[in-house]
Amino acid sequence: MSLMNTLLEVSGSWSHFGGAVGAGLAAIGAGIGIGQIGKGATEGIARQPEAANDIRGAMILSAALIEGVALFAVIAGLLAVLK
């Protein structure tokens, strides 16, 4: 039983590590994704200034959806850390 207890303790610490890494990767991924959206929107507005309002609205909607998914991923990672 001593070996089993040791394995359970080690696997518990790895789940904390995995949760922390997952939360960090979700935040980094969301930052990169929103940066790419901003880059594309800026290029699109530079090419077609008359469509700026439509492009800006689509950019804000896409960024909000990415941010929402990233928030869920960070919460899931933090729950894995705190459990």
Side-chain angles (χ1 to χ4, degrees):
M1 283 312 265
S2 175
L3 178 63
M4 183 61 90
N5 289 337
T6 304
L7 289 175
L8 287 174
E9 288 176 15
V10 169
S11 68
S13 65
W14 280 108
S15 69
H16 294 307
F17 177 74
V21 168
L25 287 176
I28 290 170
I32 290 171
I34 292 173
Q36 290 294 319
I37 289 172
K39 174 187 165 197
T42 304
E43 289 175 357
I45 291 172
R47 289 185 183 142
Q48 291 184 339
E50 65 274 2
N53 289 332
D54 294 334
I55 294 171
R56 188 178 302 116
M59 177 190 70
I60 291 173
L61 179 64
S62 300
L65 291 173
I66 289 175
E67 195 68 32
V69 170
L71 180 64
F72 283 126
V74 168
I75 289 173
L78 290 177
L79 286 175
V81 169
L82 298 175
K83 186 173 181 188

